[in-house]
Amino acid sequence: MKSTQLGNFQPIILRIFQSVLTNGIIVREYGEFVVGALFSNTPLIVVSGSMVLVYAIAVRGGVEIVGRFSDLFLPAFFILFLLIIVPIIPDLRVAHMLPVMGEGIMPSIAGSLVLQIWFSELLTASFLLPFVSDQKKAAKSISYTLLAVILTLVVSNLATLLLLGDLTGSYTYPFLILARYINLAEFFTHLEALFMAIWVLGAFVKICVFYYVTVLGAAQWMNLSDYRPIVFPLGLLLTLFSIWVAPNYQKLTHAISTSVIFATLAMFVIVPGLLLCTAWVKKTDACMKQFGKRFLAAAFVGRFVQPLKQFLWRVVRPPLFGIVHIRGDIAEAVDHKPKRFLEDVKSVPDFSRFQL
């Protein structure tokens, strides 16, 4: 590679690698859930491979497929979520969450670090902004998305804690236990299928977005005119990464709560922040070079000279004209130009309202 391209190579390849790694972790999480909760005798590679195949077909169809799928299943997602939360409201006990911050605020801050992984991943939505027809509504939609994610997390975790109490930490999937707890008149029971549907719908959209971003970034890095030819090869790599990220689920959860936090924050928060600062500095430097001394002169005139001129016209000039009684003999004595001076005097506004 040329030395001029080396500066662009490092952040791009790191970003692509981080996207593949993050997507592999997500696929592994959902694969472990499906195998552990439903298909205990099915090999993990079969579940992960079949999931990635479906995601690859959707990504190959384009970003419109993912967007329309989200619009279609978003109401179903919230309906299924409410069908799990509402029936257990009578069994919730506020005493299970007491004492609030009994050991101080530091354990709560330490526990919130894991959630920062999910919130920082919202930056992935910026890759979809070039395909948005109305850019002004994009920021508002992303803000609504962030609020919806926060509300969903708070409600689900709070409901689980108020129902299970101290036993919440002993379960691998506590919200699944919450769904199995529901029993209304021996008829409305075993709602873990609803939880499974919620998880699959959310997994499909999230993994497809990360998958699309990874494929699009790789295609732009390799200067390809179309990203579709590398969708299935990257799908195979994604499946392998989902197996390579950790030997078992315990190691995976430990990595997510330790090293993955710093890697994700570095690639999704720190690096984009540095790129934003660099772009701002370059833009400012380009403006300075383009306008040069004219820019500085205009800024100086607009900042100092123009306010001083307005001050002299509004404050200093009226009293001076009020003190000096302009008459014909004075006009003849000034520069020996009485006619021109009198014409200038007639054009002066009436300052009689000013008090001496």
Side-chain angles (χ1 to χ4, degrees):
M1 295 185 64
K2 296 181 180 179
S3 59
T4 56
Q5 297 177 349
L6 185 59
N8 296 329
F9 171 77
Q10 294 177 350
I12 291 177
I13 194 63
L14 285 176
R15 185 67 182 85
I16 295 174
F17 176 78
Q18 179 64 25
S19 298
V20 175
L21 179 62
T22 303
N23 214 1
I25 293 175
I26 298 172
V27 173
R28 178 63 177 272
E29 287 178 335
Y30 290 104
E32 289 283 356
F33 166 73
V34 172
V35 172
L38 297 176
F39 308 119
S40 57
N41 295 326
T42 304
L44 179 62
I45 187 67
V46 175
V47 175
S48 300
S50 59
M51 292 170 61
V52 172
L53 178 61
V54 177
Y55 303 146
I57 295 173
V59 171
R60 187 177 175 83
V63 68
E64 298 86 358
I65 302 298
V66 182
R68 295 185 183 278
F69 181 88
S70 303
D71 289 338
L72 180 63
F73 286 97
L74 184 62
F77 178 88
F78 281 104
I79 292 174
L80 295 176
F81 183 75
L82 292 177
L83 287 177
I84 296 177
I85 297 297
V86 173
I88 65 169
I89 291 179
D91 296 329
L92 301 181
R93 298 292 181 266
V94 181
H96 287 167
M97 65 178 296
L98 300 177
V100 178
M101 296 185 184
E103 299 180 2
I105 194 174
M106 291 307 299
S108 300
I109 295 178
S112 65
L113 289 178
V114 179
L115 298 178
Q116 302 310 312
I117 299 177
W118 297 342
F119 291 128
S120 62
E121 290 173 354
L122 192 63
L123 183 70
T124 310
S126 61
F127 287 85
L128 305 178
L129 293 179
F131 306 97
V132 178
S133 58
D134 193 348
Q135 296 284 342
K136 295 182 179 179
K137 293 183 179 180
K140 188 180 297 184
S141 300
I142 294 176
S143 301
Y144 290 157
T145 302
L146 179 61
L147 292 177
V149 170
I150 293 175
L151 181 62
T152 305
L153 287 175
V154 169
V155 172
S156 58
N157 286 278
L158 192 60
T160 305
L161 179 62
L162 295 181
L163 181 67
L164 302 178
D166 295 335
L167 298 176
T168 303
S170 61
Y171 294 106
T172 305
Y173 306 105
F175 200 77
L176 180 62
I177 304 301
L178 183 143
R180 290 175 177 175
Y181 178 83
I182 299 174
N183 187 354
L184 297 179
E186 300 294 335
F187 174 75
F188 199 63
T189 60
H190 299 289
L191 299 184
E192 57 267 21
L194 296 181
F195 177 66
M196 181 67 184
I198 293 175
W199 200 307
V200 170
L201 292 178
F204 182 86
V205 176
K206 184 175 182 179
I207 295 176
C208 282
V209 171
F210 273 90
Y211 196 172
Y212 178 79
V213 168
T214 304
V215 173
L216 186 64
Q220 293 178 356
W221 170 53
M222 292 183 289
N223 294 326
L224 299 179
S225 59
D226 191 8
Y227 69 90
R228 290 177 175 84
I230 63 173
V231 171
F232 289 106
L234 275 179
L236 176 60
L237 185 63
L238 180 60
T239 305
L240 296 178
F241 261 80
S242 66
I243 305 299
W244 291 342
V245 289
N248 51 55
Y249 187 71
Q250 288 73 22
K251 294 289 185 178
L252 179 63
T253 54
H254 177 72
I256 292 175
S257 59
T258 53
S259 59
V260 176
I261 296 177
F262 302 101
T264 304
L265 292 180
M267 294 305 301
F268 285 92
V269 178
I270 298 177
V271 172
L274 293 177
L275 292 176
L276 179 62
C277 294
T278 303
W280 181 79
V281 171
K282 287 185 176 180
K283 183 178 180 180
T284 305
D285 185 63
C287 291
M288 293 298 294
K289 290 182 179 180
Q290 181 179 2
F291 294 102
K293 296 181 180 180
R294 294 182 180 179
F295 179 80
L296 295 177
F300 178 77
V301 171
R303 182 67 177 174
F304 299 103
V305 178
Q306 194 67 23
L308 180 61
K309 182 179 179 181
Q310 294 178 358
F311 173 79
L312 294 176
W313 176 264
R314 297 178 181 178
V315 180
V316 179
R317 189 179 182 187
L320 291 178
F321 275 94
I323 294 174
V324 180
H325 299 282
I326 302 175
R327 295 182 180 178
D329 52 351
I330 299 178
E332 293 178 355
V334 178
D335 292 337
H336 301 284
K337 297 178 182 180
K339 184 176 180 181
R340 182 178 178 182
F341 183 79
L342 289 177
E343 290 178 354
D344 294 339
V345 170
K346 291 179 182 179
S347 63
V348 174
D350 183 17
F351 297 101
S352 59
R353 64 181 185 276
F354 292 92
Q355 296 181 1
L356 301 179

